[in-house]
Amino acid sequence: MEMVGGSADAIPGLLSYGWAGLWSTLASLLFLWSMVQDHLPFQLEEQLSALARRALAAVTPYVTITIDEHDADSFGRSEAYLAAEAYLGATFAGRASRLRAELPGGSDRVSLAVDDHVEVTDAFRGARMRWRKTRTLRRGNVIAWNPREEERRAYCLTFHRRHRALVEAAYLPHVLAEGRAATVRNRQRRLYTNNASGDWGGGDDGPRAWTHVKLEHPSTFATLAMDPDRKREVVDDLDMFRDGRDYYASVGKAWKRGYLLFGPPGTGKSTMIAAMANYLGYDIYDLELTAVKSNTELRKLFIETKSKSIIVIEDIDCSIDLTGKRKKKKKDKNDTRKKKKKAPWEEEDKDEGSKVTLSGLLNFIDGLWSACGGERIIVFTTNHKDKLDPALIRRGRMDMHIEMSYCCFQGFKVLAKNYLGVQEHDGELFGDIRRLLEEVDMTPADVAENLMPRSKTKDADACLRRLVKALEEAKEAALLAAKAKQLDGIKDDEGTDDEDDSDDDGSVTSRGHPSDGDEKSAKKEEM
């Protein structure tokens, strides 16, 4: 066979020379570009980069989506960037060649993320997705007015153009949902309290309406002293709410749930709230109504809360006066006294209390603003359910009313296991406690205090006997109180009779006849 252009023996030498020349040319071009780049105007560099990207797009079948670390109109980090970072960290932590460890503020758990310039490959419904994290430093001769402009971090998602519809419709929502779920699993849960409006100073992230600390309450439903059947109802209701996003949307309701906890002090209302937060993995916002000056501030506080949270108003019957807001004050027509005129500064300071109204609180619970964000639980606690306005606790606002009552025997068994590690007892102490709890009202807090060991030896029998003694004393005190009340009732009845007799003595009946006392005195005078 005849070869055109030279013998076949010369072809390998030409190819090796050609590749070497190509690499040498590329190296020279890169070196020249690095020298010229520092002297090019910034606008020209951007135009050249755009031309290069268009030229590359014309010959490559792949599409790249860039997710920047910061939004263009915000100083905070992009939610999409954080979701992608959490998703990649959770998905590829065991496969990536380089990882970066971070300790988020206020957290005790280290989070892992894919390191800069590391590429990982994901598979989704038969499509191949390539992720790469980039980090670009700004040029030295450009002044950065914002620290975030000194460097640019981004996640780049590259895929074949035929999968574009799949990525937009399914894959990106999947990354966002899984990233948010991973963030919730790894985050440090927090306990928030609202600041007074005068302390809402502007910070890097805007007004600080809430202050937070770590939520480290150890309460769980397993350690909650409560009737097991009632406890199971609460847990099932929480499960239904947590998994009910689509259901709430289908019935046209905001994704929220209201719980009213009522009962005597010491029955575990606050412990129940902590158990709910630990079970769901939610934050707690403890709202102090007395620090809220108006309905507008209440609305702003609600907007600042996040999803997956429990908003708590404790002792709502004692926080502010909500029962009399609907009543109009009647003016006394006979009161002609003139009001004393006050100075302007005295008029301004005459009412420093909260001006939150019942209407504002109802809108907070069940108005249009209550649908902002979704996945929120609102909890009211009270010692006196009958003092609350019926409109405040009706179904749809407070969907589930949970009575936190006195300790029952099943609740005692939970406390005995928690405090003493005792589930059953061979002696008669458990039987005595069962009988006494059926006869005496004692709160779980009092039962727990008597069960708490007073020494390191943890003498379970001594603690149980102390509880029996406390229950017997409470029983005797209740009997004495009942007898005293009965005697007071008898005295009141006798006093009423005496008053009636004294009224009859020396008095004239409606018919004008003398009373019995007058008849007796008349007979005595005749004798």
Side-chain angles (χ1 to χ4, degrees), residues 339-379:
K339 294 183 179 180
K340 184 179 178 181
K341 191 174 182 179
K342 295 184 179 181
W345 57 85
E346 294 177 344
E347 291 291 337
E348 293 177 358
D349 298 338
K350 66 181 180 180
D351 188 8
E352 294 293 338
S354 175
K355 294 183 180 179
V356 176
T357 63
L358 178 62
S359 174
L361 191 58
L362 295 181
N363 290 331
F364 169 82
I365 302 170
D366 199 28
L368 293 175
W369 291 96
S370 66
C372 299
E375 198 169 1
R376 290 185 177 92
I377 290 176
I378 301 175
V379 179

Side-chain angles (χ1 to χ4, degrees), residues 250-269:
S250 66
V251 299
K253 290 189 63 176
W255 192 13
K256 65 178 184 60
R257 188 78 171 160
Y259 294 88
L260 175 66
L261 308 183
F262 65 96
T267 51
K269 294 184 286 294

Side-chain angles (χ1 to χ4, degrees), residues 217-230:
H217 201 292
S219 176
T220 63
F221 281 104
T223 61
L224 183 64
M226 188 178 179
D227 181 76
D229 295 335
R230 189 60 172 161

Side-chain angles (χ1 to χ4, degrees), residues 194-197 200 288-294 297 301 320 354:
N194 56 301
N195 298 323
S197 58
W200 290 11
E288 179 57 51
L289 280 181
T290 57
V292 183
K293 298 300 181 184
S294 64
E297 286 189 13
L301 285 169
I320 56 175
S354 175

Side-chain angles (χ1 to χ4, degrees), residues 227-246:
D227 181 76
D229 295 335
R230 189 60 172 161
K231 190 188 302 185
R232 173 49 53 188
E233 291 180 10
V234 176
V235 172
D236 291 342
D237 194 80
L238 292 174
D239 288 336
M240 177 63 186
F241 171 78
R242 179 176 54 188
D243 303 330
R245 181 190 186 98
D246 296 335

